Amino acid sequence: MSESQYKNQKFQNTLRASALFISMLALMLGLGYTLFGFTGMLWAGAFGLITLGMSTRVSSQMVMRFQGGRPLHPHQAPQLARLVQQLAQRANLPATPKLYYVPNNSLNAFATGSKKDPAIAITHGLLSRMDLRGLSGILAHEISHIRNNDLQLKSMVNLFSRYTRFFSLFGQILLFINLPLFFMGEATVSWTAIALLLLAPTLVTLMVQAFSRSREYDADLEAARLTGDPNALADALETLDYYNKGGWLARFQSPRGIKVPTILSSHPEIKDRVKRLRELAPRFVPRFDWASWQPTRWRMV
């Protein structure tokens, strides 16, 4: 993929995420203004920044302990440690992410921390069913989240979501106050303001999900660049989807539940992500020669 193509795609992804982020910020400040005027808007912004600063100081070790993870040392998975180190160097991270092993049979990996204190957790199920090439795509995706500061951005948008639910509570109180005043012909609070307060959680939820989907697409693009092998991540995603749906047993199971619309999902459809990655594949040259890597062995304790 040429540098100009990469920058153009990156710019589009960043522009989309920025527009959503600014919309959420404007909505939160607008809610503060609706309730308490200009002073409320200032307090909403100031309180949000203070809480955000506190929320991003949680150490990666604390998060991993909460998830039941334990450190995965290089001698237990030397090839995995080597892989993470190379990907982190290519991403220009100031610190190599620490690996954690989660004794869970689900197929999952997630990142936490900051650029200075990054960590990536990998479940037992993922290590058991994914080869090193597939893991390279997944790890590159998680490292891309760290590189793009997505973890801090998600903390911020989740904070916006909590604040709007708080503001919505005031909207419900104003609604109960407004109805009797309306029937008595007294002065009432603006119905537009009340409607905005009541609808705010729904609007922010849609924005948060759209923001998250945008960051996933961007992390896929960065992962493809780090490995030079978009098909590695595409194959890994298809494997995750296969096992998460029940593997071969899914063929004998009737569909249950209601499918969640894409607009309400925090992640894009697997098929959409795979399609994008497959289309990117001809533009890249793989950066790993897997034939030179030793057979993978995991030694968990």
Side-chain angles (χ1 to χ4, degrees):
M1 189 179 196
S2 67
E3 190 67 20
S4 61
Q5 289 175 320
Y6 168 78
K7 288 183 177 180
N8 180 56
Q9 185 67 52
K10 183 76 173 175
F11 175 75
Q12 292 180 21
N13 292 342
T14 303
L15 186 64
R16 193 179 300 112
S18 299
L20 289 166
F21 182 80
I22 292 172
S23 298
M24 283 184 281
L25 177 61
L27 179 60
M28 190 183 79
L29 296 178
L31 291 172
Y33 182 81
T34 299
L35 284 172
F36 307 111
F38 185 73
T39 302
M41 183 177 68
L42 292 179
W43 276 107
F47 190 65
L49 291 175
I50 293 172
T51 307
L52 175 67
M54 296 174 62
S55 67
T56 56
R57 295 181 185 278
V58 180
S59 69
S60 59
Q61 292 87 347
M62 184 178 298
V63 174
M64 290 301 177
R65 282 199 296 269
F66 180 77
Q67 296 292 334
R70 56 177 183 260
L72 183 59
H73 300 288
H75 71 272
Q76 295 173 291
Q79 302 288 26
L80 204 59
R82 175 187 168 194
L83 178 60
V84 171
Q85 184 178 31
Q86 291 190 16
L87 290 171
Q89 289 174 349
R90 292 176 187 174
N92 294 318
L93 291 183
T96 300
K98 299 175 183 177
L99 285 174
Y100 284 80
Y101 169 75
V102 179
N104 189 307
N105 287 326
S106 65
L107 276 71
N108 192 24
F110 62 90
T112 187
S114 62
K115 286 185 178 180
K116 295 181 180 180
D117 180 35
I120 298 176
I122 305 176
T123 64
H124 176 79
L126 188 64
L127 287 174
S128 301
R129 295 180 175 88
M130 193 72 64
D131 60 17
L132 200 57
R133 178 171 173 261
L135 286 172
S136 73
I138 293 173
L139 290 170
H141 178 90
E142 298 303 328
I143 285 175
S144 297
H145 277 311
I146 297 170
R147 181 181 184 274
N148 295 335
N149 292 315
D150 287 342
L151 307 178
Q152 284 69 39
L153 290 173
K154 287 181 179 180
S155 294
M156 182 175 288
V157 298
N158 287 333
L159 183 65
F160 289 162
S161 181
R162 291 196 293 270
Y163 280 166
T164 52
R165 287 196 294 269
F166 173 75
F167 286 133
S168 180
L169 178 61
F170 276 93
Q172 295 175 42
I173 295 173
L174 289 176
L175 177 62
F176 285 112
I177 294 175
N178 225 32
L179 285 174
L181 292 176
F182 175 77
F183 289 117
M184 290 187 297
E186 301 289 340
T188 60
V189 181
S190 169
W191 288 106
T192 303
I194 292 177
L196 178 61
L197 290 169
L198 294 177
L199 291 174
T202 301
L203 294 174
V204 168
T205 296
L206 295 176
M207 290 180 186
V208 168
Q209 305 298 52
F211 180 86
S212 181
R213 292 194 300 272
S214 174
R215 303 317 298 156
E216 289 300 316
Y217 281 133
D218 202 31
D220 285 349
L221 176 63
E222 289 283 351
R225 197 178 191 217
L226 290 177
T227 63
D229 189 5
N231 281 324
L233 180 55
D235 292 341
L237 288 173
E238 289 181 333
T239 300
L240 290 176
D241 191 48
Y242 172 77
Y243 281 108
N244 287 335
K245 287 182 176 178
W248 63 272
L249 290 175
R251 300 178 183 179
F252 307 99
Q253 297 173 352
S254 59
R256 288 181 293 178
I258 300 175
K259 184 178 180 180
V260 178
T262 302
I263 194 174
L264 299 177
S265 176
S266 62
H267 283 61
E269 291 277 355
I270 293 292
K271 62 180 181 181
D272 293 335
R273 295 174 64 186
V274 169
K275 180 181 177 182
R276 289 192 179 204
L277 289 164
R278 301 287 190 210
E279 291 172 350
L280 286 173
R283 306 178 188 178
F284 287 89
V285 177
R287 304 181 67 177
F288 287 105
D289 178 17
W290 298 114
S292 64
W293 290 61
Q294 297 295 324
T296 306
R297 294 180 181 178
W298 317 121
R299 297 195 295 275
M300 305 305 164
V301 295

